[in-house]
Amino acid sequence: MSEIHNDLVEEIRRLKAERDAIIIAHNYQNPEVQDIADIVGDSLALARAAAKVPQSVIVFCGVHFMAESAAILSPDKTVLLPAIDAGCPLADMADAESVRAMREKHPDAAVVSYVNTSAAVKAESDICCTSANAVRVVQSLEEKRVIFVPDQNLAAYVAARVDKEIIPWPGYCPTHHRLQTDDVIKARAAHPEALVVVHPEVRPEVAEMADFVGSTAQMLDFAKQTDAKTLIIGTEMGMLHQLKKANPDKQFYLLSPRLVCPNMKRTTLTHVRDSLASLTPRITVDGDVRQRAVRALERMIEIG
Ligand code: 13P
């Protein structure tokens, strides 16, 4: 690593101690950002961590809805999103008013919102879920019908595993949705010995072709315990970093070179340093929206 890189890492460590801060990073972050983080994980692990870390400042290296969830769960802490323009197009596909209208249309249905939603949408929801616990969350509900917001592919994945009617929202993650069955056919032809592992945000026809479907943390567990030595990974490219670190004896290939989330790639070490130095950009969620959103998030965390 260059001297500039080492100086930056040193400065981040010093500021982190001075500010009583913790750095939390999602599995899709740039490798150098993952490497300076205290906690790296999937959305569920990061939400759980945000709810209970003792530090007074949380530097959230991820996208906006993740930092927002941390601010909802820990309102007394300073939650920082180093790259303020790191959004989530999937989260932007649902708004509170449309969710309210959907609930009026289906008054007997529960509203389950994926954590990839705004605070305002969470506030309209009965419970949140992540890709790791979506099936468990839906199964835990008394209602026989569920409005599932906003990812249609995760909704299909859940619908195939529960004995309930799932009313999907027409949203999708542009990064995962662009994977096609042809990508799987080509990757398998190039690496016939490999197992194919995909995220439940991929299209159902792509998920059906995979050997394993799971959240980013579940992929990591699967890769550790499988006897297979070669795995083809169908999720955002940042995931390869933790997979390779934890399994130096295994080979990992990305299912498609197009598996890049530009928002997850926005955060750099310079952003992290500047954010710690200035304690900005700060994410806050106040009032009634926070009070209603926290119920949906805490109900999810109780289920696990
Ligand atoms: P995980 O919950 O599996 O980490 O996924 C987060 C996400 O935003 C997927 O696009």
Side-chain angles (χ1 to χ4, degrees):
M1 282 292 168
S2 73
E3 213 169 294
I4 296 173
H5 172 91
N6 291 342
D7 288 351
L8 205 47
V9 169
E10 246 345 281
E11 209 181 336
I12 289 170
R13 290 214 175 104
R14 180 179 56 75
L15 283 165
K16 202 174 69 166
E18 273 174 33
R19 302 293 199 203
D20 182 32
I22 186 163
I23 301 177
I24 295 183
H26 188 265
N27 284 321
Y28 295 158
Q29 289 289 288
N30 288 311
E32 64 276 19
V33 173
Q34 295 189 32
D35 287 344
I36 46 110
D38 302 288
I39 302 173
V40 182
D42 71 350
S43 307
L44 182 60
L46 301 187
R48 282 194 191 127
K52 63 168 197 232
V53 292
Q55 288 82 358
S56 49
V57 175
I58 299 175
V59 183
F60 213 117
C61 301
V63 293
H64 190 272
F65 75 81
M66 296 180 173
E68 205 177 49
S69 294
I72 293 168
L73 288 161
S74 289
D76 301 332
K77 295 188 191 295
T78 301
V79 177
L80 304 172
L81 180 66
I84 192 60
D85 50 354
C88 172
L90 170 59
D92 293 342
M93 289 177 193
D95 63 89
E97 203 182 324
S98 312
V99 174
R100 270 199 301 278
M102 193 70 149
R103 202 195 263 284
E104 271 167 34
K105 207 167 143 196
H106 305 283
D108 60 325
V111 175
V112 175
S113 70
Y114 195 24
V115 286
N116 303 43
T117 45
S118 65
V121 166
K122 289 183 176 78
E124 297 297 331
S125 310
D126 295 298
I127 188 165
C128 291
C129 73
T130 74
S131 60
N133 63 13
V135 172
R136 219 161 43 237
V137 164
V138 170
Q139 261 163 352
S140 76
L141 301 170
E142 275 173 20
E143 290 88 345
K144 293 274 171 259
R145 302 176 80 225
V146 169
I147 299 165
F148 194 93
V149 186
D151 190 286
Q152 59 182 286
N153 295 330
L154 183 60
Y157 171 83
V158 172
R161 288 160 180 80
V162 298
D163 188 19
K164 290 180 195 277
E165 185 194 343
I166 305 293
I167 305 159
W169 198 266
Y172 56 87
C173 159
T175 302
H176 286 99
H177 200 65
R178 67 173 70 104
L179 271 186
Q180 302 286 346
T181 52
D182 244 22
D183 293 309
V184 183
I185 293 167
K186 282 185 194 142
R188 280 205 195 272
H191 308 286
E193 74 291 8
L195 293 186
V196 173
V197 170
V198 300
H199 196 275
E201 284 179 18
V202 300
R203 294 166 189 265
E205 61 270 29
V206 173
E208 265 166 37
M209 295 171 80
D211 298 295
F212 179 77
V213 185
S215 81
T216 57
Q218 289 167 342
M219 285 181 183
L220 201 52
D221 290 343
F222 178 79
K224 283 181 198 161
Q225 59 80 31
T226 179
D227 291 333
K229 291 285 178 217
T230 313
L231 292 103
I232 296 166
I233 304 299
T235 196
E236 211 281 335
M237 62 173 292
M239 189 61 219
L240 293 186
H241 187 57
Q242 292 300 320
L243 285 166
K244 286 179 181 171
K245 261 172 98 166
N247 303 278
D249 59 324
K250 296 184 181 178
Q251 294 289 321
F252 295 95
Y253 297 97
L254 203 57
L255 186 40
S256 157
R258 294 175 302 152
L259 281 165
V260 182
C261 169
N263 288 291
M264 282 287 182
K265 295 283 143 329
R266 286 192 205 280
T267 311
T268 63
L269 289 184
T270 307
H271 285 117
V272 177
R273 189 266 321 271
D274 293 349
S275 185
L276 274 166
S278 63
L279 293 181
T280 64
R282 187 172 175 185
I283 305 297
T284 54
V285 182
D286 298 317
D288 176 54
V289 167
R290 190 197 89 80
Q291 269 170 20
R292 289 187 293 133
V294 80
R295 278 204 300 265
L297 275 170
E298 284 180 347
R299 198 173 161 198
M300 169 189 84
I301 290 173
E302 272 164 32
I303 285 172

